[in-house]
Each structure stands twice: as C-alpha cells, then as structure tokens.
Amino acid sequence: MVVHVSGCHRRALVSHTVGSQTAMLSFFKISRRRSHQYSASSLPASSPNGLELADYPSTSNPLATGNLTTDNYARRVSLPPGKVLQLRSSVCYLPHPDKVHYGGEDAHFITDYGGGAIGVADGVGGWQESGVNPADYSRTLMQLARAYLEGKDIFEDLAASRHGVLVDPRGALEAAHMNTKVPGSATACIMQLDQSNSLLVAANLGDSGFVVIRDGRELVRSKPLQHYFDCPLQFGAFPEFVEATDTAEMADIYSIALRPGDVIVAGSDGLWDNCYVTEIISLLPKGPTDVQASAEAIATAARRHASDAEYASPYTREALSQGLDLPWWDKLLGMSFKGGKVHLKQLTGGKMDDITVLVSFVDMVETPTIPSSTACETPAGDNGALVPQ
C-alpha cells in the first residue's frame, strides 16, 4: 500500500467545545515546503530479524550538522574527581481517552546507556483515515533509535567499530528513520547525556520537544518545527508509503552544559499544547527519587487542561496568533460585559491528545568502571504510566 500525500499529514481536524457550541478549525495555511527530501537506498541489506538495514553512514557528528546548531547554553562546571553526571529518568504516558484500547499513538524510550538517553515520538493521527495505526510507526522509530545508540539488534555490526560510547542523537534519528519501513509518520525528539563532557546533546524534529530547568528557571527550550500551524515536520517511509519526507538533517541540534540538579522535561505535543513552562516548573522533582511523581503530576495537569473548554491553552493562543478564531455566531453567542465593555467570545480550550511526559533529574554519581548498557524500553502504558479509568 502506498499513501500519496500532498504537503504533509496533519493531525485530525481539531474541534474545541465552548459551552454547548463546537468550533471547527480548518487549517488552510499556505507555506513553502522545505526542499530536502530523503532518497531511499536501492538495495538494503537484510537482517536476521526481518528488519532491513539501510545503507547510511555508521557515525555522524551531531554538533557539526543539522538545521540549527546551538552553542553551549552555560559554562561547564568542574565536577569533583571521580564524579560524573547521570540522568535519572521516568515517564508518564496518558493515551487519548478514545485511544486507550490500543495504547495511543505516542512512543518513547529510556536507557541508562552512557549516562542516560531518552526519546519521544508522536505518531501522526491523520493516518487513521488510510486505515493505518499511527502507533506502528512511532513505536518502531523509537525502538530503532534506542538500538542505534546502544549498538544492538540490527546495529550490532556497526557497534563493533565504535570506540567508547556513541553520543549521536541526530544519527539515531537518521538511522531509525531510514530503517522504519511501515506506513505512518511521526515527530521525534532524542536527548542524550555526553557523560565525558557533562553535556546534554539533543535532536528535535517536529513539535515534540524538551525544556531544561535550572534553579527553578527555564534555561533552554526546544523550538517546535512546523511547515505551518498544526502541521509539524515529520518522518515517514519514503518512497514506500509517502511521496516526500522530512529528514534528520532538518532537525534542530542542541548542546547544553549540564549541572547537578538540572531537570529535563521532554514530551509530545500533548504536553506543550496544554501546559505552560511556568506550571511545569512548579511540579518539578526535588531529587532523583521524585522523577516518577513529577512526571505523573505534569501529565495529570496537561490532561486536566486538555479537558477544560475555558482554558486559554498554549494551543489556542497559538491558533489565535495565526488568525484562527471562532465563527462570528459563536463569538456573539458567547459575548460578555466586563468593565462596561462588550467582549466577544474568543477561542479557548485545551487540546485533547496523547500525552507523554519524560522527566530526567541530573544526578552526580561515581564514575562507572564500564559504560552502562542497561536499558528500559517502555511500551505504551508501562513504567509507572497513569492510565485513565
């Protein structure tokens, strides 16, 4: 099956309930597509487990390529002798209430390899119109990205040529993209600790993303990448199932000097469309043992806002900034009098969606004698995730 896509797959048409009225937003924005397209290899080599290993470079330099390469966001700190940083990570995943029966469309991974790495992908729901489960693509993408970083599964032969821990989140996105040969598409963000340099190196494509908090303040936040409103940059299997795809070369690359006590919060757009960073900061962990409770609290807040028709969410504020609002009859029906003036009703409400929240506390530990390769792959709903009843 080949799905022909003009432009890009969007999320399903969004509806917001305002009282008893429903405002349907139709997004007919025109924008220039990014010109780079991925050309699939003609003769991929087969692997024993049935996956195909595409022909791509075995290593890439995440700090030398990418759509945006940032400088360090803070000076590196000198750690005591024999000490290194370690990510203490946990996750909470809340599928869309209508998608709980099949686990939703988000995917993620957590691994302790090399000091820690996390990833999140959001399957694009528009594929349901073609009879495709969007979760198949996002889950495969995250499974392969983790395997690439750890040098496992179809990447074992490539790992044999490595010297030490591979820090390459952009390469992980590229490898996963080129080897995910199922229908669907997804945004993705991968964050990895460069333990030898006390850096967080991240690669983000689409509107999943992350924020780094230090001393209760936002240090840096990833930028959502979109073709136009509600149409994020996204990976897809080209040419098997899509006419064109965005690529890892378009991903934004970040290099951030970490310190003990920093907190990283990553998530799918179900988090960022419903929560402001100020609220997220109020729910951060106090220490490494609090990361699970923090992830659950943040995800619960996002779900609460998604269900609130009167909440001025980040999503509806962005829609308003793009010139999208309620139809005139709904604005009149919802008008109010405040301060002696007539106020027409504006678009409000959260965005109901899958919500994935990953929280990592930057801890200081003894230098390991060998690189850690313990990994935790977390399928939908696992690893302490809250599932709505």
Side-chain angles (χ1 to χ4, degrees):
M1 176 183 68
V2 176
V3 178
H4 296 287
V5 182
S6 59
C8 69
H9 260 302
R10 297 181 309 200
R11 293 173 173 87
L13 189 66
V14 180
S15 65
H16 294 282
T17 302
V18 183
S20 60
Q21 301 295 319
T22 300
M24 302 299 292
L25 301 183
S26 298
F27 306 122
F28 296 106
K29 295 287 184 178
I30 299 175
S31 71
R32 184 185 304 169
R33 280 194 59 89
R34 302 192 179 210
S35 60
H36 187 87
Q37 296 182 356
Y38 159 64
S39 298
S41 57
S42 57
L43 294 173
S46 298
S47 67
N49 58 9
L51 291 172
E52 292 183 340
L53 180 59
D55 182 17
Y56 67 98
S58 60
T59 61
S60 62
N61 184 348
L63 302 183
T65 60
N67 186 46
L68 172 66
T69 302
T70 63
D71 294 327
N72 294 335
Y73 284 85
R75 292 182 178 179
R76 304 181 195 179
V77 296
S78 297
L79 301 178
K83 299 288 187 179
V84 293
L85 299 181
Q86 173 81 35
L87 299 185
R88 306 295 189 184
S89 304
S90 195
V91 65
C92 179
Y93 176 48
L94 300 179
H96 188 294
D98 296 336
K99 303 172 183 177
V100 173
H101 63 285
Y102 66 89
E105 297 159 359
D106 284 0
H108 64 270
F109 73 84
I110 296 174
T111 176
D112 292 333
Y113 174 79
I118 57 177
V120 59
D122 181 359
V124 177
W127 281 90
Q128 290 180 331
E129 301 170 6
S130 302
V132 172
N133 182 353
D136 293 341
Y137 191 92
S138 59
R139 291 171 184 169
T140 305
L141 193 76
M142 288 291 94
Q143 177 187 6
L144 289 171
R146 190 203 69 174
Y148 172 82
L149 293 177
E150 296 180 335
K152 295 182 178 179
D153 300 332
I154 62 173
F155 304 107
E156 286 184 350
D157 291 341
L158 294 174
S161 62
R162 295 176 182 173
H163 301 283
V165 174
L166 175 67
V167 179
D168 190 5
R170 191 197 71 84
L173 287 180
E174 180 183 22
H177 178 209
M178 295 184 71
N179 288 282
T180 300
K181 301 301 182 183
V182 296
S185 56
T187 67
C189 183
I190 293 178
M191 295 130 284
Q192 185 179 13
L193 177 63
D194 179 355
Q195 203 169 44
S196 62
N197 294 302
S198 300
L199 294 174
L200 178 71
V201 183
N204 181 57
L205 185 116
D207 56 5
S208 295
F210 69 94
V211 62
V212 179
I213 307 297
R214 175 173 297 161
D215 298 328
R217 296 182 179 181
E218 177 183 326
L219 179 66
V220 60
R221 180 179 174 182
S222 62
K223 178 182 68 175
L225 299 179
Q226 301 187 98
H227 293 287
Y228 49 88
F229 180 67
D230 218 35
C231 179
L233 272 65
Q234 57 200 256
F235 295 115
F238 171 86
E240 293 86 352
F241 301 107
V242 297
E243 293 178 344
T245 180
D246 300 313
T247 70
E249 292 182 359
M250 298 176 178
D252 280 353
I253 309 300
Y254 298 82
S255 174
I256 305 160
L258 294 178
R259 300 178 184 178
D262 289 348
V263 179
I264 304 157
V265 178
S268 59
D269 70 313
L271 168 62
W272 308 115
D273 285 341
N274 291 297
C275 277
Y276 294 97
V277 173
T278 50
E279 181 177 18
I280 291 173
I281 291 175
S282 69
L283 301 172
L284 294 182
K286 303 300 182 183
T289 60
D290 301 329
V291 290
Q292 182 62 49
S294 176
E296 292 175 1
I298 295 170
T300 299
R303 174 53 52 83
R304 182 174 66 251
H305 295 321
S307 306
D308 185 351
E310 300 301 319
Y311 176 61
S313 67
Y315 180 76
T316 51
R317 285 193 175 183
E318 177 62 19
L320 289 170
S321 74
Q322 298 291 326
L324 302 168
D325 204 347
L326 298 174
W328 64 267
W329 56 87
D330 279 341
K331 294 175 74 68
L332 289 175
L333 287 172
M335 69 180 180
S336 60
F337 295 91
K338 296 179 182 178
K341 296 182 179 180
V342 176
H343 296 269
L344 297 178
K345 177 67 178 177
Q346 278 193 326
L347 179 68
T348 59
K351 178 186 175 186
M352 187 57 68
D353 202 351
D354 297 329
I355 297 169
T356 299
V357 178
L358 294 126
V359 177
S360 298
F361 187 91
V362 181
D363 199 10
M364 185 168 63
V365 299
E366 297 289 338
T367 302
T369 54
I370 56 174
S372 173
S373 60
T374 303
C376 172
E377 183 175 0
T378 49
D382 287 355
N383 198 25
L386 295 177
V387 178
Q389 300 297 318

